[in-house]
Amino acid sequence: MAPGSLFLLLLLLLLLSILGAPGLGDPGPLEDVVIDRYYIPKICLREVQMGDFIRYHYNGTFKDGKKFDSSYDRGATVAGVVGVGRLITGMDRGLQGMCVNERRHLIVPPHLGYGSIGVAGLIPPDATLYFDVVMLDIWNKKDKLQITTLSRPQRCNRTVESSDFVRYHYNGTLLDGTPFDSSYSKNGTYDTYVGTGWLIKGMDQGLLGMCAGEKRSIIIPPFLAYGEKGYGTTIPPQASLVFSVLLVDFHNPKDSVFLEHLEVPESCKRRAVTGDFVRYHYNGTLMDGTLFDSSYSRNHTYNTYIGKGYIIPGMDQGLQGVCMGERRRVVIPPHLAYGENGTGNKIPGSAVLVFDVHIIDFHNPEDPVEMETVYRPEGCNLTTRHRDFVRYHYNCSLLDGTKLFSSHDYEKPQEVTLGTNKVIEGLNRGLLDMCAGERRVLIVPPHLGHGESGARGVPGSAVLRFEVELISMEEGVPEGYFFIWHGEPPASLYEQMDLNKDGEIPADEFSTFIKTQVAEGKGRLMPSSDPEKVIADMFRNQDRNQDGKITPEELKLKSDEDQEKIHEEL
């Protein structure tokens, strides 16, 4: 026989003797525990060692398969300490080195079981015992909390400290993976204080140092969990607990608003204070990034007074001191937001709110027009006054740079008589006291602009920025006048105006006379781009009965009309 064949035969005989094959002879009593590790988990973080506390299930049978004991039948796992004599010697040895979820078949000879005495009424003397065991839990009194960070956000301004109020999601399992509880199944976070006795000790410790948005695995030994008593029907005595935790947000009742200045303009001439009216865009999120509201989605700024209680207290505080154009992050604890109850279906109770705001503009109802002279010609002696007729170019924009209107889009400059309500009040004020050729930048608050309602192309409550250049100016006339005399008017005005001396003054004679007075410097018309229209309006006012001619009875000077309380003019 070949050497290799002889070796295989010997190996087969050895195996058969161990398994007790019939006809090959009885190998005799076992000297030690026979261990069959018929299921070993792929991941084994820890093996049973002497002195460890363990929890396991088992079925105990005799060689013929008759069951003498089972933890399953009792509906409770077995918990005990390995290697200190509390178990039969065979079980003490057979459990050594097991992993959680490992399954073993143990054959325990009598001298390592209950010996020649047995257990009255249950296990006969000299009985060999067969156990099917599954290991469920392993721990030691020297164990500490096991914390594994699964993910952590890049930004973490603050971490959980004792006495903080936290909101978190969790899945809770036993060490063998059996689930016992989950916040996700309740459609809400678990909300509680840390370090004040509201949680089991292990969770109190395991949440410390977490960032909002961080995920952790926390393994808690029984003495830091529910210990010898367990909890209800889901957590047995002496059970290690595994929590997969996602920290949604946290705060402290002593917290104030947290500000992060994301972008501050280089030039900040003024900062917002209580009583200012602010227009801003925002994105509002929870601390885990869940968006609950956005002004951008409505394509409209949020407009409000600050410091007057129109918005949540945290935002009232968070907008103090902003610059126009600033981008700022405002983190608001719930006691300065919507409190324990939250609001609507998007902001839960006790939620920390994060607002990323972009300040478009702000003003105060008492604000004047801000004027900055960019250029003023030398030797500027003559400046614009009320009722002057001016021609000017302008560019108009919002404070964020959005272009609204420009006179350069048209062939000619803008023309207006100052003080006649033809332009917004802020622009009218900004054009006063200017020289021809002067350039200014005007900042016009909405109450001197287009107000709360805005105008076509102009948002409500918008602060406007004008770049203006005065092209030319003409001296005006007092309000209510179309024409004024530079000296005393002629004593016989009607006779001089009646050029053909026929006793009546038609429109052409009236026009010729007025133009002659202007040409000779004896008087001036209200300035306008259309002098003919001004003269026509003057004639129409004097032609009281509208018959196309002025009679002596109809002709009146403006000064005389004022005395008669008549509000027409010459």
Side-chain angles (χ1 to χ4, degrees):
M1 180 177 292
S5 300
L6 179 60
F7 174 76
L8 290 174
L9 178 60
L10 292 172
L11 180 61
L12 177 61
L13 291 173
L14 177 62
L15 290 172
L16 290 173
S17 67
I18 293 173
L19 296 175
L24 294 177
D26 189 347
L30 297 174
E31 294 184 1
D32 204 349
V33 179
V34 176
I35 300 173
D36 177 14
R37 303 178 72 183
Y38 65 91
Y39 175 75
I40 303 175
K42 293 181 179 180
I43 298 176
C44 183
L45 300 177
R46 177 176 181 173
E47 296 179 348
V48 174
Q49 298 180 12
M50 298 283 284
D52 281 346
F53 286 79
I54 58 173
R55 280 194 319 107
Y56 60 95
H57 263 309
Y58 73 92
N59 280 319
T61 64
F62 299 118
K63 185 176 182 178
D64 60 3
K66 181 180 178 181
K67 184 163 53 177
F68 64 82
D69 194 14
S70 172
S71 63
Y72 296 99
D73 293 346
R74 294 192 299 272
T77 55
V78 178
V81 183
V82 178
V84 295
R86 296 181 183 178
L87 303 173
I88 59 173
T89 304
M91 188 65 83
D92 256 346
R93 295 181 183 181
L95 297 175
Q96 295 290 324
M98 283 192 79
C99 305
V100 172
N101 286 327
E102 181 177 343
R103 294 176 181 270
R104 286 185 178 184
H105 183 70
L106 307 178
I107 304 175
V108 179
H111 67 281
L112 297 178
Y114 293 96
S116 59
I117 299 176
V119 177
L122 183 63
I123 298 175
D126 298 317
T128 299
L129 307 178
Y130 295 77
F131 292 94
D132 273 309
V133 181
V134 56
M135 185 60 60
L136 302 177
D137 203 341
I138 309 168
W139 58 279
N140 195 287
K141 287 186 176 180
K142 297 179 181 179
D143 284 350
K144 298 180 179 179
L145 212 61
Q146 297 180 49
I147 298 174
T148 303
T149 298
L150 305 177
S151 67
R152 187 181 177 97
Q154 292 182 345
R155 293 181 63 258
C156 185
N157 296 321
R158 179 163 102 75
T159 60
V160 174
E161 299 176 359
S162 185
S163 79
D164 281 345
F165 188 88
V166 295
R167 296 196 311 118
Y168 62 93
H169 272 302
Y170 69 89
N171 285 317
T173 66
L174 304 180
L175 204 60
D176 66 341
T178 302
F180 63 80
D181 196 13
S182 173
S183 64
Y184 296 98
S185 65
K186 301 179 179 69
N187 295 319
T189 54
Y190 191 81
D191 306 342
T192 188
Y193 287 95
V194 174
T196 57
W198 291 81
L199 294 166
I200 57 175
K201 291 181 180 179
M203 189 61 85
D204 257 344
Q205 298 174 22
L207 293 172
L208 295 176
M210 286 191 77
C211 302
E214 182 176 342
K215 293 182 179 179
R216 277 186 180 180
S217 172
I218 305 173
I219 302 177
I220 304 175
F223 56 85
L224 294 176
Y226 294 100
E228 297 179 0
K229 295 182 179 180
Y231 186 81
T233 60
T234 56
I235 299 177
Q238 302 291 19
S240 299
L241 306 182
V242 181
F243 288 93
S244 177
V245 176
L246 168 62
L247 186 64
V248 174
D249 70 22
F250 66 96
H251 73 281
N252 195 286
K254 298 178 182 178
D255 281 349
S256 58
V257 173
F258 174 80
L259 302 180
E260 184 176 353
H261 303 279
L262 305 178
E263 182 181 329
V264 181
E266 292 183 6
S267 175
C268 185
K269 295 181 179 178
R270 179 185 155 195
R271 296 178 179 272
V273 296
T274 293
D276 283 344
F277 190 87
V278 184
R279 294 195 315 124
Y280 60 96
H281 271 302
Y282 71 89
N283 283 321
T285 65
L286 305 179
M287 283 192 79
D288 64 354
T290 301
L291 183 71
F292 63 79
D293 194 16
S294 174
S295 64
Y296 296 99
S297 66
R298 296 187 290 274
N299 197 31
H300 193 285
T301 54
Y302 191 83
N303 308 332
T304 187
Y305 288 95
I306 63 170
K308 290 190 169 186
Y310 290 104
I311 47 181
I312 56 176
M315 190 61 85
D316 255 345
Q317 296 177 25
L319 293 175
Q320 295 286 333
V322 291
C323 299
M324 292 185 188
E326 180 177 347
R327 295 180 185 270
R328 176 181 285 193
R329 178 167 291 144
V330 184
V331 182
I332 304 176
H335 54 275
L336 296 175
Y338 295 100
E340 296 181 3
N341 297 324
T343 185
N345 57 5
K346 292 187 176 181
I347 299 180
S350 300
V352 177
L353 306 184
V354 181
F355 288 92
D356 284 326
V357 300
H358 178 204
I359 307 302
I360 303 302
D361 62 35
F362 61 85
H363 73 281
N364 194 284
E366 304 298 324
D367 282 348
V369 177
E370 293 183 30
M371 303 181 197
E372 178 185 353
T373 299
V374 178
Y375 171 74
R376 189 178 180 96
E378 293 183 5
C380 175
N381 297 318
L382 183 61
T383 60
T384 52
R385 295 180 298 174
H386 185 65
R387 304 296 299 175
D388 281 355
F389 181 77
V390 297
R391 293 179 178 86
Y392 61 98
H393 271 303
Y394 74 93
N395 292 314
C396 177
S397 64
L398 301 178
L399 291 190
D400 65 355
T402 302
K403 179 181 175 182
L404 298 179
F405 313 106
S406 175
S407 62
H408 297 283
D409 294 335
Y410 304 95
E411 294 181 358
K412 296 180 180 180
Q414 287 288 106
E415 299 176 340
V416 71
T417 298
L418 298 178
T420 57
N421 298 319
K422 300 299 183 182
V423 294
I424 59 173
E425 179 60 23
L427 181 56
N428 189 89
R429 295 184 187 184
L431 289 169
L432 291 172
D433 197 33
M434 287 189 76
C435 302
E438 184 174 343
R439 296 195 299 273
R440 285 180 177 177
V441 173
L442 311 176
I443 305 299
V444 179
H447 57 277
L448 298 175
H450 292 284
E452 295 181 7
S453 302
R456 185 175 181 181
V458 181
S461 299
V463 179
L464 303 180
R465 183 180 189 273
F466 285 90
E467 297 172 350
V468 296
E469 179 182 5
L470 188 65
I471 305 302
S472 65
M473 56 181 288
E474 297 178 36
E475 188 178 2
V477 297
E479 185 174 356
Y481 286 77
F482 282 145
F483 175 89
I484 62 170
W485 298 98
H486 289 160
E488 291 295 326
S492 54
L493 178 59
Y494 190 85
E495 287 76 6
Q496 292 193 30
M497 194 175 291
D498 181 11
L499 300 180
N500 62 5
K501 309 304 180 184
D502 63 353
E504 58 186 30
I505 304 171
D508 58 342
E509 281 188 345
F510 183 86
S511 176
T512 299
F513 175 80
I514 294 298
K515 289 178 181 178
T516 299
Q517 305 309 304
V518 172
E520 294 177 354
K522 295 179 180 179
R524 67 175 187 274
L525 286 168
M526 179 185 77
S528 170
S529 58
D530 188 359
E532 294 291 346
K533 182 178 182 305
V534 175
I535 294 174
D537 289 341
M538 291 173 62
F539 179 81
R540 189 164 44 253
N541 286 343
Q542 293 298 313
D543 182 12
R544 317 263 173 194
N545 60 8
Q546 303 299 306
D547 63 354
K549 57 189 177 182
I550 300 173
T551 64
E553 292 78 17
E554 290 176 319
L555 184 65
K556 286 185 173 63
L557 293 174
K558 179 68 170 63
S559 56
D560 296 335
E561 290 181 343
D562 288 343
Q563 292 177 1
E564 298 174 9
K565 308 297 183 183
I566 298 175
H567 301 291
E568 302 298 338
E569 65 271 338
L570 174 64

